Amino acid sequence: MRADLEIIQDWIPAGSRVLDLGCGDGELLAWLRDHKQVGGYGLEIDSEKIAKCIERGVNVIEQDLDKGLGNFASDSFDVVVMTQSLQALRYPDKVLAEMLRVGKTCIITFPNFGHWRCRWYLARNGRMPVSEFLPYTWYNTPNIHFCTFRDFEALCHEQHAKVLDRLAVDHEHQHGWASRIWPNLLGEIGIYRISGAGVQDHRIAV
């Protein structure tokens, strides 16, 4: 299983009802079903990935996330998951609000554009970074909303969401003491678990 999904599955209790937004080929849901007796649905817009979900026996719905989750009742899932899609959404704030509405907890992963490599590239070249970490040029990138960990946590605060867990990892999904001390500077990918109750109280170092 993909390294980020391996981390995420630890945060999903056995027997949970899960909604996976942008579920891809259904790898996570299939693993959770087979190993943790998890049920639920995946939402996906790519027809080839939908076909792979069906081959795996994963319940999948063709749906554009930017159009909301109005077809699901409030608190209808124990966990809502969205991996590496937040930055590609047209309305990430609205989708986050919908995730908090339909799920008791939410797990979200996204690339950190405050990482030191991005800062160094901009300072040195005065241009948007292109690297193994960010392999697209500014005009053909699928990432339309660039954010840092601080940006995301500010959005959580605005939506009265509480950050329950946070990991700042590198591109190999490893995390050490340095990324725990300076996550916004040294973390390439953020893995968050949040809920809609209370106000988040974690702080990010610049």
Side-chain angles (χ1 to χ4, degrees), residues 171-186:
H171 65 282
E172 295 181 344
H173 295 89
Q174 302 297 313
H175 56 96
W177 64 269
S179 63
R180 285 194 290 270
I181 297 174
W182 299 291
N184 202 42
L185 183 64
L186 300 179

Side-chain angles (χ1 to χ4, degrees), residues 2-205:
R2 233 170 61 197
D4 57 336
L5 303 185
E6 185 68 42
I7 295 171
I8 286 170
Q9 64 87 15
D10 281 337
W11 291 351
I12 300 176
S16 297
R17 184 169 170 80
V18 174
L19 180 65
D20 188 355
L21 307 183
C23 66
D25 62 7
E27 179 181 16
L28 177 63
L29 283 173
W31 191 93
L32 291 170
R33 176 197 63 206
D34 296 341
H35 294 84
K36 302 186 80 168
Q37 298 74 53
V38 164
Y41 294 89
L43 302 188
E44 181 56 56
I45 199 167
D46 186 298
S47 58
E48 291 185 4
K49 292 177 180 177
I50 289 172
K52 290 180 180 178
C53 285
I54 294 171
E55 289 177 8
R56 291 179 185 266
V58 169
N59 297 321
V60 62
I61 299 171
E62 183 176 2
Q63 187 161 326
D64 183 347
L65 300 183
D66 278 313
K67 294 183 178 178
L69 303 174
N71 48 332
F72 298 104
S74 298
D75 297 322
S76 52
F77 294 93
D78 298 304
V79 185
V80 180
V81 177
M82 183 168 64
T83 61
Q84 297 296 320
S85 296
L86 181 74
Q87 73 282 355
L89 296 172
R90 297 173 71 88
Y91 309 107
D93 55 335
K94 294 179 181 178
V95 174
L96 180 62
E98 281 287 87
M99 292 177 68
L100 292 165
R101 179 184 66 81
V102 304
K104 297 174 183 176
T105 62
C106 303
I107 298 173
I108 301 165
T109 77
F110 59 92
N112 174 32
F113 291 94
H115 186 257
W116 71 266
R117 284 197 183 93
C118 295
R119 303 187 194 200
W120 176 82
Y121 198 100
L122 280 168
R124 183 186 181 197
N125 301 298
R127 300 180 62 184
M128 292 299 292
V130 179
S131 64
E132 182 181 355
F133 171 54
L134 296 169
Y136 302 97
T137 53
W138 67 270
Y139 52 82
N140 69 358
T141 177
N143 303 315
I144 59 178
H145 285 103
F146 301 90
C147 75
T148 68
F149 293 168
R150 291 189 71 183
D151 290 323
F152 178 75
E153 293 191 6
L155 177 58
C156 288
H157 182 83
E158 290 173 12
Q159 299 202 4
H160 306 291
K162 182 177 181 181
V163 175
L164 304 174
D165 291 290
R166 178 193 66 202
L167 285 177
V169 301
D170 62 21
H171 65 282
E172 295 181 344
H173 295 89
Q174 302 297 313
H175 56 96
W177 64 269
S179 63
R180 285 194 290 270
I181 297 174
W182 299 291
N184 202 42
L185 183 64
L186 300 179
E188 293 182 71
I189 299 167
I191 305 176
Y192 281 78
R193 187 170 71 96
I194 66 175
S195 73
V199 178
Q200 69 91 14
D201 56 5
H202 288 269
R203 301 287 180 179
I204 285 283

